[in-house]
Amino acid sequence: MWAQGILGSLPALLLLSATTVTAVSLDCKNVVVKGQHFDLSELAGPRAVHLIEDTPPSLSNTTFTIDICNPLKRTKNVPKENECPTGTYGI
């Protein structure tokens, strides 16, 4: 039962850390939730989800990228206005 409470809080912690603090990196090796320590370092690095929607006569492709441990770096060949500001944890 205690694990359910801790794990139930983990997504909220990750979302909060990924959206509210852009100047500080999350120490993924030592995430503490209600006194319980987690090593999330294997989740470090950008992760992308691609949504492809059939919009005849074409396809629409939307990509969302997130890195819970570090700010994202700019993507080459993508106009600045099509990305979030440098240092953002999710695009």
Side-chain angles (χ1 to χ4, degrees):
M1 189 158 227
W2 65 270
Q4 182 181 16
I6 291 172
L7 296 177
S9 301
L10 190 57
L13 170 72
L14 295 176
L15 180 62
L16 179 64
S17 66
T19 58
T20 60
V21 181
T22 58
V24 179
S25 292
L26 174 65
D27 181 8
C28 285
K29 290 186 181 209
N30 188 29
V31 176
V32 181
V33 179
K34 295 185 179 180
Q36 190 75 337
H37 295 260
F38 297 92
D39 180 357
L40 303 178
S41 58
E42 290 190 29
L43 299 175
R47 306 285 186 228
V49 174
H50 305 277
L51 299 177
I52 298 175
E53 183 178 6
D54 190 7
T55 52
S58 62
L59 290 175
S60 297
N61 179 2
T62 304
T63 301
F64 299 92
T65 305
I66 188 169
D67 185 342
I68 65 166
C69 298
N70 298 295
L72 294 170
K73 295 180 175 45
R74 289 215 11 93
T75 306
K76 295 178 184 177
N77 302 325
V78 174
K80 219 174 190 180
E81 63 270 9
N82 289 347
E83 288 193 322
C84 292
T86 301
T88 302
Y89 279 73
I91 294 178

